[in-house]
Amino acid sequence: MTARERLIVGLDVPTLREAETIVDKLSDDILFYKIGYQLAFAGGLEFARDLAASGKKIFLDMKLLDIDNTVASGVENIAKMGMSMLTLHAYPKAMRAAVEAAKGSGLCLLGVTVLTSMDEGDLIEAGYEYDPHTLVLRRAEQARAAGMGGIVCSAEEARAVRKVIGPDMALVTPGIRPAGADRGDQKRVMTPADALKAGSSHLVVARPIVKAQDPKEAARAILAEMAEVL
């Protein structure tokens, strides 16, 4: 895959107007976009469908988790929308139900291991007995066993996760920050070049591009950094 196929720009903005402006500014430089809760609940689901119909690839970041039947029903409809990737929390039963529902659709299902905004203290507070690294690897093993298409994890865990899931599954890493960029609320971050070297297959970049004074220039700089590694 080329850098353009691996870079996913997160449309983490509150309105469709802002999202449309960003997509227009980035034009043909960017192929892949992520749409999450914020934009989804502001008309972003129809926007996602339209972008997919226009030839863009869409990573729908919904982090699904519910009873098996509800997860399966949601996955079936999302597959019909033409989405390329979809996240769900990496709980074994939910993953198995999703995989069965997505069969034959081409939708890549991604298991969310541990959010990049969480550290060991956050996991302890939430009642988990594992540290982030151990929990990420455990969920990666379960995702591979369930037949998932890939994993979402911090780039800090990418090298270890790649050893668990093998060479074929997608490994999508958010929390990507070019050198010198503000970390924001992310606690585990890495540069684009280092993330690719660690085994990431796709990089999710939002604020460093969408909040940049010149989003197109920012995106091109990241693509160039990725291309050097690839």
Side-chain angles (χ1 to χ4, degrees), residues 154-156 158-159 171 173-177 189-203 225 229:
S154 162
E156 289 185 1
R159 197 178 304 277
L171 204 167
T173 50
I176 301 299
R177 295 288 186 272
V189 300
M190 192 173 285
T191 66
D194 288 342
L196 290 176
K197 291 174 184 177
S200 300
S201 64
H202 297 77
L203 310 182
E225 180 180 340
V229 176

Side-chain angles (χ1 to χ4, degrees), residues 8-150:
I8 303 173
V9 174
L11 293 175
D12 296 340
V13 293
T15 68
L16 276 180
R17 183 183 295 276
E18 291 175 76
E20 290 166 348
T21 298
I22 291 166
V23 171
D24 184 59
K25 286 181 178 179
L26 297 175
S27 61
D28 291 335
D29 285 300
I30 298 301
L31 171 67
F32 221 140
Y33 289 97
K34 176 182 78 74
I35 291 178
Y37 290 152
Q38 184 179 33
L39 189 59
F41 300 137
L45 294 180
E46 284 304 313
F47 184 55
R49 193 195 307 269
D50 292 342
L51 284 177
S54 73
K56 298 295 186 183
K57 300 182 73 174
I58 304 299
F59 166 16
L60 197 59
D61 189 17
M62 292 289 98
K63 299 182 181 70
L64 301 182
L65 181 61
D66 212 308
I67 63 172
D68 296 358
N69 184 64
T70 300
V71 168
S73 297
V75 169
E76 287 173 2
N77 279 340
I78 289 167
K80 293 173 185 176
M81 292 171 64
M83 302 296 97
S84 296
M85 288 179 167
L86 169 69
T87 52
L88 57 148
H89 282 289
Y91 286 66
K93 286 191 70 182
M95 290 191 291
R96 289 193 293 268
V99 167
E100 184 64 28
K103 279 185 178 177
S105 68
L107 176 63
C108 179
L109 297 171
L110 303 172
V112 176
T113 53
V114 177
L115 300 176
T116 54
S117 62
M118 300 181 73
D119 58 18
E120 185 168 4
D122 297 318
L123 290 181
I124 291 172
E125 183 181 24
Y128 288 98
E129 61 179 300
Y130 302 105
D131 62 86
H133 185 76
T134 302
L135 183 57
V136 166
L137 295 186
R138 177 179 175 83
R139 288 183 165 172
E141 291 173 357
Q142 293 169 332
R144 186 177 71 170
M148 295 282 282

